[in-house]
Amino acid sequence: MPSRRTELTRQAARLFAEKGYHGTSIGDLAAAMGVQKGSLYAHISSKQDLLYETMAEGAHTFHAGLDAIPDEAPATEKIRLALRSHLRVVSDQLDVATVFVQEWRYLEGTRRDEIVALRRRYEERIRGYFREGRELGELRSDLDDATAALLVLSAANWAYTWLQPGRDTDALADRFYDLLVEGMRGYATPA
Amino acid sequence: MPSRRTELTRQAARLFAEKGYHGTSIGDLAAAMGVQKGSLYAHISSKQDLLYETMAEGAHTFHAGLDAIPDEAPATEKIRLALRSHLRVVSDQLDVATVFVQEWRYLEGTRRDEIVALRRRYEERIRGYFREGRELGELRSDLDDATAALLVLSAANWAYTWLQPGRDTDALADRFYDLLVEGMRGYATPA
DNA sequence: GTTCGACCCTAACGATCGTTAGGGTACCCG
DNA sequence: CGGGTACCCTAACGATCGTTAGGGTCGAAC
C-alpha cells in the first residue's frame, strides 16, 4: 500500500503534466488527494518540492536506463538500446517524462542547476555513443556525430507528445534506429 | 514606427517564451511596456488574446514557409527545403516558435481547436512529402514514411531548445537532411 | 476650435494564490 | 497506559492575480 506521500508525488506528476506547474494550484493537488489544501503541508514544505521530486525521479530513471547498457556492446548497439530505454521510460512514466521535458525551467535555485546538470550529462552520454561508433569504425568516418546525437535526442525528447502508453516501444525504437542507420534513400537498401 | 499594440504582442511572445504563459503576469507585461497594468486593457480584452495572437502568428509563419516550396520540385528536395524553412523560422522568431511549441495547451475554447488544427495540418503536409517521395521512387520503397516524418518533425519541433539566432540554419538543415537520407552506416557512403 | 482616436493614469474589485498556525483523531509500539 | 507517528481539519494570513471603471492628456483631422 502506497503511503500518502508517494501518492501525492504521483498526483503531482499527473497534474503538472496535464496543466503545467504554474497551471496547477495547491488546491488542485489537494482536491486530487481528497483533502483540504492546508493538509498537504504535513507532507511537503513547498510546492517546489513536488516539482523537484518529479524531476529527480525522471532524471534518475532516464540515467538508470543507460546504466543497464553493457559497456562491451558495440556502439551501434548501445545507440539502439539507448533509444529503446528512453522510449520505454517515456511510455512507462509518461507523466514524469512530460514534466521532465516541459517544466524544468520552473525549478528554482540550486535544485534547478542540479537537474540541468543531470540533463546535460544524459545528453553527453548519448553523444558519447556516437563518437565511439565513429572512432571505432562502426559508423561513417565522416559522420557529424554531434548532429547525429542531436537527431536522436530530438526524437527521444519529443516522444512524450505522441507516444501512447501500452504500445510496443522496443519496436518503435528499432524503427527509428533502422531509419537512422540505413537512411531513407532507395539504393541504400538493396532489398 | 511600430504601434504600441504590435510592440505589446512582441513583448508578450518574449515573456511567454521566457517564463511561460501562466508564469507571466499582466503586471510583468505592463512593466515590460513601461506602463501600469490597467493600461494594457486599452489594447487587449484579455491575456488570452496575446497568447492566441502569438500562436496564430507562429502557425501562419510556419505554413507560409511550406507555401514557398515549389510544387514541381522532387519530394526529397521538398523535404530539404521544408527543413530549411522550419529552422529559419525558429531562428528568426525564436520567441514565437517557443511559445508555439510549448504554450499551445493553455489556449482555451475555439481558438485552441483552431490552432491545434493548423498544427496537425502542418504535420500532414510534411508527411505528404515523405509519402510522395516513397511512391515516386525517390526514397526506399519499403520506407515507413510515418516514422520518417515523425523523425523530421521531432528534429524541427525540438529545435527551439538549442538553436541560437544568427547561426546558418540552411547549413544546419542540410546536415540533418543529409544524415536522414544517407544514414549513419559506414558502407552507405563510399566516401 | 472642436472632435476623435490613441494612449495612459489611479483605484479598486473579487478571486485565488501558496503558506502557516494550532488543534484534533486514530493507530501502533513500548 | 503512555508516547509517538501519520494523517487531516478549520481558519486565516498577506500577496498577487486578471480585470474593470472612470477620468485624463495629447496630437492630428475636420
Side-chain angles (χ1 to χ4, degrees):
Chain A
M1 54 207 63
S3 75
R4 291 293 275 167
R5 180 60 225 259
T6 59
E7 168 71 6
L8 176 55
T9 63
R10 242 182 45 86
Q11 294 290 339
R14 188 177 63 84
L15 287 173
F16 289 166
E18 182 189 334
K19 318 182 6 161
Y21 176 70
H22 284 306
T24 303
S25 71
I26 289 285
D28 293 335
L29 262 311
M33 294 290 289
V35 138
Q36 301 285 6
K37 63 176 181 171
S39 307
L40 295 186
Y41 287 84
H43 305 293
I44 59 173
S45 67
S46 82
K47 188 182 167 187
Q48 272 273 317
D49 287 2
L50 291 170
L51 179 58
Y52 171 72
E53 265 168 56
T54 304
M55 300 294 303
E57 180 182 347
H60 172 263
T61 312
F62 279 119
H63 272 288
L66 296 194
D67 293 342
I69 296 176
D71 272 340
E72 62 279 11
T76 45
E77 188 65 6
K78 288 180 186 170
I79 293 171
R80 196 175 67 90
L81 293 178
L83 253 174
R84 279 191 174 208
S85 163
H86 192 105
L87 293 193
R88 194 177 321 118
V89 171
V90 173
S91 174
D92 287 351
Q93 306 209 55
L94 188 52
D95 292 336
V96 171
T98 300
V99 174
F100 190 70
V101 174
Q102 297 225 75
E103 311 293 325
W104 65 269
R105 55 193 175 135
Y106 303 122
L107 274 176
E108 297 161 9
T110 318
R111 292 169 157 187
R112 177 181 173 140
D113 302 339
E114 176 193 333
I115 297 295
V116 167
L118 285 171
R119 270 200 83 92
R120 184 159 320 212
R121 199 159 70 85
Y122 186 78
E123 294 170 5
E124 274 161 14
R125 291 179 79 173
I126 301 282
R127 240 189 307 275
Y129 299 151
F130 284 90
R131 188 166 8 90
E132 186 183 332
R134 175 177 51 80
E135 288 172 352
L136 269 56
E138 297 178 48
L139 299 172
R140 291 161 52 175
S141 58
D142 66 335
L143 181 71
D144 181 346
D145 44 46
T147 301
L150 187 51
L151 198 53
V152 163
L153 281 166
S154 300
N157 283 320
W158 191 244
Y160 78 93
T161 66
W162 53 267
L163 226 179
Q164 28 204 354
R167 294 280 292 278
D168 184 350
T169 53
D170 282 353
L172 273 168
D174 288 352
R175 280 221 293 277
F176 273 132
Y177 173 79
D178 180 70
L179 205 55
L180 286 162
V181 167
E182 305 286 353
M184 310 186 299
R185 178 163 288 180
Y187 60 74
T189 49
Chain B
M1 56 207 60
S3 75
R4 294 291 277 165
R5 180 60 225 260
T6 59
E7 168 71 6
L8 177 55
T9 62
R10 242 182 45 86
Q11 294 289 340
R14 189 177 63 84
L15 287 173
F16 290 166
E18 181 190 335
K19 316 175 21 158
Y21 176 70
H22 283 305
T24 303
S25 71
I26 289 285
D28 293 334
L29 262 312
M33 294 290 289
V35 139
Q36 301 285 6
K37 63 177 182 169
S39 306
L40 295 185
Y41 286 84
H43 305 291
I44 59 172
S45 69
S46 81
K47 188 182 168 188
Q48 273 274 314
D49 287 1
L50 291 170
L51 179 57
Y52 171 72
E53 266 168 57
T54 303
M55 300 293 304
E57 180 182 346
H60 171 262
T61 312
F62 279 119
H63 272 287
L66 297 193
D67 293 342
I69 297 175
D71 272 339
E72 61 278 12
T76 46
E77 188 65 5
K78 289 181 186 170
I79 293 171
R80 196 175 67 90
L81 293 177
L83 252 174
R84 278 190 174 209
S85 163
H86 192 105
L87 293 193
R88 193 178 323 117
V89 171
V90 173
S91 174
D92 288 350
Q93 305 209 55
L94 188 51
D95 292 337
V96 172
T98 300
V99 174
F100 190 70
V101 174
Q102 295 224 77
E103 310 293 326
W104 64 270
R105 54 191 176 136
Y106 303 122
L107 273 176
E108 297 162 8
T110 318
R111 293 168 156 187
R112 176 181 174 141
D113 301 339
E114 176 192 333
I115 297 295
V116 167
L118 285 171
R119 268 201 84 92
R120 184 160 320 212
R121 199 159 71 84
Y122 186 78
E123 295 171 3
E124 273 162 14
R125 291 179 79 174
I126 301 283
R127 239 190 308 274
Y129 299 150
F130 285 90
R131 190 167 6 92
E132 185 183 332
R134 175 177 50 80
E135 289 171 352
L136 269 56
E138 297 176 48
L139 300 173
R140 290 159 54 174
S141 59
D142 66 335
L143 181 70
D144 181 346
D145 45 47
T147 302
L150 187 51
L151 198 52
V152 163
L153 282 166
S154 300
N157 283 319
W158 190 245
Y160 78 93
T161 65
W162 53 266
L163 226 180
Q164 26 205 356
R167 295 279 292 277
D168 183 352
T169 52
D170 282 354
L172 272 168
D174 288 351
R175 280 222 293 277
F176 273 132
Y177 173 79
D178 180 69
L179 204 56
L180 286 162
V181 168
E182 305 287 352
M184 309 186 301
R185 179 164 290 179
Y187 61 73
T189 50

